[in-house]
Amino acid sequence: MEHTLDKITLAHIRDLLQTIRQVTETFQISSLTRQLEAADNLLLQNPPIDVAVLGQFKAGKSSFLNSLLGQTILPVGAIPVTTAITRLQYGPRERALVQHFNGQTTETPLADIVEFTSEAGNPGNEKNVAIVDIELPSLQKYPGVRLVDTPGLGSIFKYHEITSESWLPAVGTALLAVSSDRPLSQHDLDLIRELTSHTPNIILLLTKADLLSVDQQQEVIAFFSQTLQRELHRTLPVYLYSTKDKTDEYRNRIEQDIFQTIAANRNYEFLRILRYKTQSLAQSCLGYLRIARQSSLQADLNRESLRAQILNEKVNESLMREELGIIAREHQRQTRPLIATSLEPFLIPLIQKVKSKLEKDIPSWPGNLWKLSRRYEYWMAETLSSEMHQLSKAEHTHFLGTLKKAHAGFSRSLEAFRKFLDENIENVLGVRLAPVDWNIDVAEPDHPDIAFTKSFDIHLDLIWFLIPMFLFRRIFEHHFISGVPKEVEINLSRLAYQWEKSVNNAIEAMRLQAITYIQEELATMEALLSRAQGQTDNINQMISRIENLSDNLSQERYKGF
């Protein structure tokens, strides 16, 4: 069950770290890089738990570790000494490995590490030492634990402080050394605040305890508790230590309560520390994301203001649709009267022309009444079709009055739309739109629809065999000739209808084209304005994912110091 829980926890940690990495890359949150790298390294390398001794310079950090080891390994002195991070762990033989910032690692005798870790042997870290790793057989009693000595904080050597602070994200358990002769300074409180982001295990180590009486020791411990509660709203365990008095007693208690506890529960403690670091990192990331969200929300507000300034009521799609619709309907209603007026002068001349031609041709048509009727219908269809086609071709430009007026109306509306949009964009963004080019062609009907009335109201031609043509032919010819005005009028009306449909369809096509143009322009503006600012939805999704992953991780409870 415990092994399964570990797997689940590691999976949750891995997912959360991956999400945080994506966020830091997307928003370039470089301030979280070191913490993220530290958590990633722990997850990938599964190293020993680093128990780091931190504190102000001359707080007795190196002296404490030498005393704990039972041998003088680390340099000590009256002035700030430690200049590089030094890690100590179990190894089958004593040796020291010096890692340089250029990636080079060299082994050096243990007696010579002072040349790399002390201010005297390596002033200003001129040898570019990154970390010194020391292996000691005596540390076999602390399996899975690595002791870390750090440069002192608050010394005149600023790079000492930078070295220690840059290493803080990697700390597993922090022993904050506080000297009895200057207990719990503001620097110590600031360091505790910083450590809170990196480890759940912070322990106060009151060094040089021999300088205080028993009552004074208790008084200092009470002062620690009160100050921490007042300033940080928490308490921390406090351990006494002295290299001059009661050393064995202090050492045994620290070994038993801290080092042996960690070593005996190494995997459990490692997972708890990694989980803590990841959740702390998640909270920091969420803090940055919430700032980004506020910035994006403000950008959204600005974008909405920008949108309102550019896409105001003067370039509103609904209003433009309504305006274009009014233009179209107004001119479509006028199309038929205009065409009828244009064709009216041709009615009488065309009647006379057709009648004259019919009077000339009809006497030569042979046959009975049925044949005469069919010939008349064919002749009328052919003649009027030709006349309508010629008339349409010759006069069609006079039929396009409403089309031209509608075109002009649409053009004015679009020009006004473009003018307002162009002015808005120029006023808000300082740029102008390119001019628009659009036109619609009107197709002339090739063959007007020709319609005919029957030659007779009753079907006399069906009883042609009963009608003697030599007696009634002149009557029938007169009947056919007298029907010409009606046929011409009907076909002129049909021609007007055909052109009305054609012109009104063209007007509707122009309206639709104008609407399409407006829609495309407004859609383009909307898209540009939407991409220009604001990632609120995306940020909210990231925040939600980190919160959910962090909540899943929080459900797995781990207790420690």
Side-chain angles (χ1 to χ4, degrees), residues 330-342:
E330 180 63 26
H331 290 92
Q332 285 170 337
R333 281 195 295 266
Q334 297 175 14
T335 300
R336 183 62 177 267
L338 176 67
I339 296 174
T341 301
S342 298

Side-chain angles (χ1 to χ4, degrees), residues 139-190:
L139 288 178
Q140 187 175 12
K141 58 184 177 180
Y142 305 143
V145 175
R146 185 164 57 190
L147 307 179
V148 183
D149 188 24
T150 64
L153 303 171
S155 75
I156 61 173
F157 302 112
K158 189 64 179 177
Y159 61 86
H160 288 184
E161 189 164 342
I162 294 173
T163 299
S164 292
E165 289 181 346
S166 65
W167 186 83
L168 289 182
V171 68
T173 294
L175 287 178
L176 177 57
V178 180
S179 177
S180 295
D181 55 2
R182 47 178 181 182
L184 213 59
S185 66
Q186 184 60 47
H187 290 295
D188 295 323
L189 291 174
D190 292 340

Side-chain angles (χ1 to χ4, degrees), residues 80-119:
V81 173
T82 306
T83 190
I85 299 292
T86 306
R87 302 186 301 196
L88 306 97
Q89 62 181 329
Y90 166 74
R93 63 182 180 88
E94 289 187 354
R95 67 169 184 163
L97 299 174
V98 180
Q99 297 182 30
H100 298 269
F101 285 114
N102 62 6
Q104 181 183 1
T105 300
T106 57
E107 184 172 347
T108 187
L110 203 58
D112 293 342
I113 65 166
V114 67
E115 299 299 324
F116 300 95
T117 62
S118 70
E119 186 62 34

Side-chain angles (χ1 to χ4, degrees), residues 172-243:
T173 294
L175 287 178
L176 177 57
V178 180
S179 177
S180 295
D181 55 2
R182 47 178 181 182
L184 213 59
S185 66
Q186 184 60 47
H187 290 295
D188 295 323
L189 291 174
D190 292 340
L191 180 57
I192 293 171
R193 288 190 182 94
E194 176 70 14
L195 285 168
T196 301
S197 300
H198 306 301
T199 178
N201 302 334
I202 304 174
I203 301 167
L204 293 181
L205 182 67
L206 183 61
T207 61
K208 305 176 186 179
D210 56 282
L211 298 179
L212 305 174
S213 66
V214 174
D215 290 340
Q216 288 173 329
Q217 290 172 357
Q218 295 304 313
E219 184 178 344
V220 169
I221 292 174
F223 170 73
F224 283 179
S225 179
Q226 294 169 4
T227 303
L228 291 171
Q229 191 64 46
R230 182 181 68 252
E231 298 294 331
L232 305 179
H233 308 291
R234 65 177 298 181
T235 58
L236 297 174
V238 181
Y239 288 83
L240 304 177
Y241 202 83
S242 172
T243 60

